Amino acid sequence: MKQDFFDRVYKIVAKIPKGKVTTYGLIAESCGIKSAARTVGWALNGASSSNLPCHRVVNRFGALTGKVHFGDPKLMEDLLRSEGIIFDKDDCVEMKKHLWIPPKVLSNKTKKKK
DNA sequence: TCATTGACATTCA
DNA sequence: ATGAATGCCAATG
């Protein structure tokens, strides 16, 4: 099924540790496609009905771009705050402290030496 | 069926 | 440095 890509995204998102956040680009990269961050968003679009912690997925700015798709934007912030995520004045997550990078990406980067 | 959009990111001009 | 354009995959109009 075409959901193969979705399945990868789901696995990555499901692996996000509590109190951590990741970006669409990293997820896409961990899936093997670094430029398909948009598609990752689509996957999460369907994930909104799943048990996946899509609220831990943010854009590269650390902003909760998809908060509206949760049904309650402030709920997303509340969830992240409950997990120990810190927001700065720009409504962006403290990437420096909470950014989680999928191990697969680390290995891939190390190998490619880009 | 074809074209456009969509919770993004990267690169060229 | 800022702005516009492109790439990726899938879904919807």
Side-chain angles (χ1 to χ4, degrees), chain A residues 49-65:
Chain A
S49 302
S50 302
N51 299 329
L52 297 174
C54 9
H55 53 269
R56 292 180 192 154
V57 184
V58 297
N59 63 355
R60 80 176 171 81
F61 296 102
L64 284 45
T65 42

Side-chain angles (χ1 to χ4, degrees), chain A residues 7-63:
Chain A
D7 185 57
R8 298 184 212 183
V9 176
Y10 295 148
K11 281 182 162 71
I12 301 300
V13 177
K15 287 175 184 171
I16 303 176
K18 179 175 169 234
K20 292 286 181 177
V21 295
T22 190
T23 70
Y24 299 95
L26 289 174
I27 295 173
E29 217 175 305
S30 65
C31 290
I33 323 157
K34 54 183 187 299
S35 304
R38 308 177 69 163
T39 319
V40 175
W42 254 116
L44 269 58
N45 190 2
S48 300
S49 302
S50 302
N51 299 329
L52 297 174
C54 9
H55 53 269
R56 292 180 192 154
V57 184
V58 297
N59 63 355
R60 80 176 171 81
F61 296 102

